[in-house]
């Protein structure tokens, strides 16, 4: 087995809205290093067009049929870090301000998926494995099996589908089945893609793929329950023999406090104390916080949405601000959450800073400068931020769910073990209890704290092991 094609809608360094882009920007590199021919196909979004288009090579033009109209696809490619990236260009569909959230998302991503399937024929490249990610690509295994089964080249492809977030499902009206997706009504009638009287791209991915993975073993269990299953739990239970969890890694070259050029002072697990102090001072100066290298700095870098447990922090803001700590929040999202964090900044000058927006450079500075990282998520399929923060010696305080449970070892006061702190129930008092424990440890037991930082920084958060796991899945599917 050699040829693997990743299909996704975001990936670094081209375009990012969340952790999916981190994964698509790093797992292929690791597979490539291990000797596989990995390629990635992405929509050519506006941000990519502005920053990268001039570097791309044009491959060919072809059409796909959507709503009884032949629509033109311009296909480009670019080799980056020895991985080949294909880009599907259609300016009306993809060159818009944002990536997702448009009324015609169903049509846009139906077009993308059809264009990807036709691309294989156009360039005569047929992977042994097609690895699709999240709902925007969930119809590919379905269309491939239903519409191309007569063609041996398509029939031989094995499909892996990774769920990064079950909460986003791509559910649309059934009327798009024929005109947009070219599928017969029977896939609705037999229930394969039917959901809530309409169709679900996510469900189709789950039903039609040869193997389904999600991004942590705990989330793989959780999504089979009503609490986390987003009403797809019974479908997931039905496929449970083919479902497994593989924890994400991060790009340990890009995220490396020893070499990171975006931070003020580079450091290692040996020099972290001095390094963090300098990064902290620089960040405090930059953000207008009181300059004090001894104060405990608590960081948060996140999409501001209900998933992330920001409400727990807001509920306890008064209590947290009564502690000898400083808080720095970076993120954007729901207006109500942004408003509350803005209020917190105004009421606590010099102590709380909220940077509303997306800022790559500032995120590096926060990971490097903070002592503690807050991530009390309601659910978290894997989480990338806690992996980055451990790598930077910033102890994560997390809720025990999904990948947070699988990657953060909670502090054990009897053995001194741990790489962070955790609590179990989604309840702000429980979170506060653990936060107090962390604050106490930071100020009163510096040796214990130091040990936790070293443990966190020495933890393997690379793709090494998980990439092997994926290779095992691919090989099993092709019968090697
Ligand atoms: P999710 O994908 O659910 O948003 P993850 O923890 O998997 O959560 O990944 C989030 C990624 O996005 C991390 O790399 C994090 O550093 C980054 N990120 C989130 N919000 C911002 C922001 N406002 N500015 C810069 N980077 C951000
Ligand atoms: C999703 C999840 C996040 C995960 C990321 C990458 O955005 O919310 O937990 O880390 O995908 O797999």
């Amino acid at each position: 087995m050699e040829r693997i094609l990743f299909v996704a809608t975001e990936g670094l360094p081209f375009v990012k809205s969340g952790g999916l882009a981190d994964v698509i920007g790093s797992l292929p590199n690791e597979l490539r290093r291990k000797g596989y021919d990995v390629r990635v196909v992405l929509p050519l979004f506006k941000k990519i067009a502005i920053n990268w288009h001039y570097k791309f090579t044009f491959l060919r033009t072809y059409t796909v049929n959507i709503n009884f109209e032949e629509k033109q696809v311009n296909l480009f490619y670019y080799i980056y870090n020895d991985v080949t990236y294909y880009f599907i260009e259609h300016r009306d569909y993809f060159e818009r301000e944002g990536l997702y959230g448009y009324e015609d998302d169903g049509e846009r991503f139906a077009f993308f998926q059809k264009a990807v399937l036709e691309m294989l024929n156009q360039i005569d490249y047929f992977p042994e494995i097609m690895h699709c990610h999240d709902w925007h690509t969930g119809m590919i295994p379905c269309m491939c099996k239903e519409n191309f089964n007569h063609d041996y080249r398509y029939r031989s492809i094995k499909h892996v589908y990774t769920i990064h977030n079950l909460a986003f499902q791509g559910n649309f009206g059934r009327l798009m089945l024929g005109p947009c997706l070219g599928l017969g009504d029977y896939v609705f009638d037999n229930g394969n893609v039917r959901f809530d009287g309409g169709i679900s791209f996510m469900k189709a991915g789950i039903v039609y793929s040869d193997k389904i993975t999600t991004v942590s073993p705990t989330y793989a269990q959780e999504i089979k329950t009503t609490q986390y299953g987003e009403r797809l739990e019974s479908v997931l239970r039905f496929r449970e023999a083919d479902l497994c969890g593989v924890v994400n890694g991060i790009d340990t070259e890009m995220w490396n406090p020893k070499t990171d050029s975006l931070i003020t002072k580079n450091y290692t697990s040996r020099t972290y104390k001095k390094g963090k102090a300098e990064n902290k001072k620089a960040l405090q100066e930059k953000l207008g916080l009181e300059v004090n290298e001894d104060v405990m700095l608590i960081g948060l870098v996140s999409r501001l949405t209900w998933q992330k447990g920001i409400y727990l922090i807001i509920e306890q803001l008064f209590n947290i601000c009564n502690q000898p700590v400083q808080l720095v929040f970076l993120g954007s999202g729901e207006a109500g959450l942004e408003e509350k964090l803005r209020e917190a900044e105004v009421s606590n000058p010099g102590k709380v800073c909220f940077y509303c927006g997306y800022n790559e450079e500032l995120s590096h500075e926060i990971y490097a400068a903070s002592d503690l990282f807050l991530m009390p998520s309601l659910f978290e399929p894997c989480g990338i931020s806690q992996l980055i923060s451990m790598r930077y010696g910033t102890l994560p305080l997390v809720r025990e769910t999904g990948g947070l449970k699988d990657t953060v070892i909670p502090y054990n006061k009897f053995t001194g073990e741990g790489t962070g702190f955790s609590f179990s129930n989604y309840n702000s008092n429980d979170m506060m209890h653990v936060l107090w424990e962390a604050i106490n440890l930071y100020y009163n037991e510096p040796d214990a704290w130091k040990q936790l930082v070293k443990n966190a920084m020495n933890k393997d958060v690379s793709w090494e092991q998980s990439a092997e796991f994926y290779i095992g899945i691919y090989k099993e599917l092709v019968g090697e």
Side-chain angles (χ1 to χ4, degrees):
M1 190 270 309
E2 270 184 3
R3 297 183 310 281
I4 305 156
L5 177 64
F6 273 49
V7 191
T9 50
E10 46 182 284
L12 284 173
F14 306 104
V15 68
K16 167 166 170 174
S17 84
L20 173 62
D22 291 277
V23 173
I24 303 302
S26 52
L27 173 58
N29 299 340
E30 184 68 28
L31 294 169
R32 183 75 201 98
R33 271 194 288 274
K34 291 181 186 290
Y36 296 90
D37 169 6
V38 192
R39 307 186 191 189
V40 181
V41 51
L42 298 168
L44 211 164
F45 284 121
K46 186 171 184 179
K47 204 165 161 230
I48 308 180
I50 293 171
N51 299 320
W52 293 86
H53 205 317
Y54 70 98
K55 295 189 174 175
F56 297 169
T57 307
F58 171 73
L59 262 178
R60 63 203 296 126
T61 292
Y62 55 94
T63 62
V64 296
N65 193 293
I66 292 275
N67 287 334
F68 314 107
E69 236 185 87
E70 290 298 322
K71 300 226 173 187
Q72 189 172 314
V73 181
N74 296 319
L75 181 67
F76 293 83
Y77 84 98
Y78 181 61
I79 298 175
Y80 184 80
N81 277 345
D82 217 18
V83 173
T84 302
Y85 290 83
Y86 295 104
F87 295 92
I88 304 285
E89 184 189 65
H90 187 284
R91 303 190 65 173
D92 282 352
Y93 281 138
F94 301 128
E95 294 193 27
R96 303 183 186 179
E97 276 322 301
L99 307 188
Y100 323 115
Y102 295 94
E103 227 172 39
D104 59 347
D105 272 2
E107 184 180 320
R108 295 169 75 216
F109 294 106
F111 171 83
F112 172 62
Q113 297 174 88
K114 274 188 154 174
V116 170
L117 283 169
E118 178 54 26
M119 173 187 98
L120 310 184
N121 179 43
Q122 291 287 331
I123 59 172
D124 196 23
Y125 154 77
F126 283 85
E128 288 147 289
I129 299 284
M130 253 177 128
H131 190 158
C132 294
H133 298 264
D134 267 356
W135 74 261
H136 318 87
T137 63
M139 294 307 301
I140 283 189
C142 169
M143 290 194 289
C144 195
K145 288 183 180 175
E146 294 290 354
N147 295 346
F148 292 86
N149 209 37
H150 56 278
D151 186 333
Y152 173 78
R153 300 169 308 167
Y154 284 93
R155 194 166 64 237
S156 312
I157 299 172
K158 297 289 178 199
H159 296 274
V160 178
Y161 180 60
T162 296
I163 301 169
H164 293 264
N165 197 335
L166 194 63
F168 301 105
Q169 302 182 337
N171 300 336
F172 305 101
R174 65 176 291 190
L175 285 180
M176 70 182 294
L177 258 189
C180 274
L181 297 159
L183 290 163
D185 276 343
Y186 66 93
V187 296
F188 176 87
D189 295 334
N190 67 14
N192 280 358
V193 305
R194 184 170 62 210
F195 189 66
D196 250 5
I199 63 166
S200 166
F201 284 25
M202 176 62 88
K203 178 174 175 183
I206 297 169
V207 169
Y208 280 92
S209 297
D210 299 295
K211 192 91 190 174
I212 306 122
T213 75
T214 186
V215 286
S216 69
T218 295
Y219 194 59
Q221 293 303 324
E222 287 174 342
I223 54 179
K224 290 186 277 178
T225 67
T226 350
Q227 190 184 351
Y228 293 94
E230 305 285 350
R231 299 188 301 139
L232 283 170
E233 60 274 15
S234 52
V235 186
L236 287 157
R237 281 203 298 269
F238 185 68
R239 296 284 335 254
E240 88 185 315
D242 299 306
L243 167 69
C244 70
V246 186
V247 90
N248 288 334
I250 56 170
D251 179 340
T252 47
E253 279 167 33
M254 177 174 129
W255 295 109
N256 185 353
K258 193 173 166 191
T259 52
D260 191 336
S261 59
L262 297 175
I263 64 177
T264 305
K265 177 83 187 164
N266 291 118
Y267 60 95
T268 63
S269 60
R270 229 170 19 82
T271 58
Y272 90 89
K273 215 163 177 253
K274 200 160 168 286
K276 270 206 175 293
E278 284 200 33
N279 286 306
K280 195 185 287 184
K281 274 202 294 195
L283 187 67
Q284 287 166 331
E285 272 164 22
K286 181 171 177 172
L287 300 179
L289 292 166
E290 188 198 328
V291 179
N292 175 357
E293 66 180 60
D294 296 323
V295 73
M296 182 184 199
L297 181 64
I298 303 179
L300 179 143
V301 177
S302 181
R303 289 184 293 120
L304 299 179
T305 125
W306 52 281
Q307 174 193 338
K308 301 293 177 179
I310 314 287
Y311 293 105
L312 299 189
I313 301 169
I314 288 168
E315 258 173 49
Q316 293 290 342
L317 259 177
F318 181 79
N319 289 331
I320 301 175
C321 289
N322 270 337
Q323 297 294 312
V325 299
Q326 289 182 353
L327 292 157
V328 48
F329 300 112
L330 165 63
S332 63
E334 291 166 24
L337 293 175
E338 290 182 359
E339 189 53 39
K340 290 282 179 203
L341 295 181
R342 224 171 263 126
E343 273 171 35
E345 179 184 68
V346 173
S347 336
N348 297 278
K351 195 173 169 77
V352 176
C353 173
F354 170 43
Y355 183 102
C356 185
Y358 183 89
N359 188 326
E360 197 70 37
E361 185 177 335
L362 185 59
S363 77
H364 283 248
E365 292 168 335
I366 294 175
Y367 287 119
S370 305
D371 300 294
L372 193 79
F373 189 84
L374 278 185
M375 204 163 169
S377 304
L378 175 61
F379 67 94
E380 196 60 74
C382 178
I384 295 289
S385 302
Q386 85 282 10
L387 302 179
I388 303 174
S389 62
M390 286 190 280
R391 178 126 175 100
Y392 281 68
T394 307
L395 301 182
L397 190 159
V398 303
R399 181 168 164 259
E400 288 159 19
T401 182
L404 299 176
K405 186 168 177 188
D406 293 337
T407 57
V408 177
I409 305 166
Y411 169 58
N412 179 326
K413 63 180 168 196
F414 302 107
T415 63
E417 273 175 340
T419 60
F421 303 88
S422 70
F423 63 101
S424 155
N425 293 323
Y426 189 73
N427 170 319
S428 75
N429 290 325
D430 289 13
M431 179 191 77
M432 205 54 213
H433 183 78
V434 181
L435 183 56
W436 274 318
E437 187 184 15
I439 295 171
N440 177 48
L441 202 72
Y442 178 82
Y443 285 110
N444 301 326
E445 294 187 52
D447 287 343
W449 186 271
K450 192 169 159 188
Q451 188 55 48
L452 293 186
V453 171
K454 285 196 190 294
N455 297 347
M457 291 185 81
N458 291 331
K459 186 179 161 66
D460 181 10
V461 290
S462 75
W463 274 108
E464 176 59 35
Q465 272 191 16
S466 294
E468 284 298 338
F469 209 98
Y470 279 116
I471 291 167
I473 292 172
Y474 303 151
K475 283 191 168 165
E476 191 191 318
L477 284 178
V478 298
E480 275 177 22

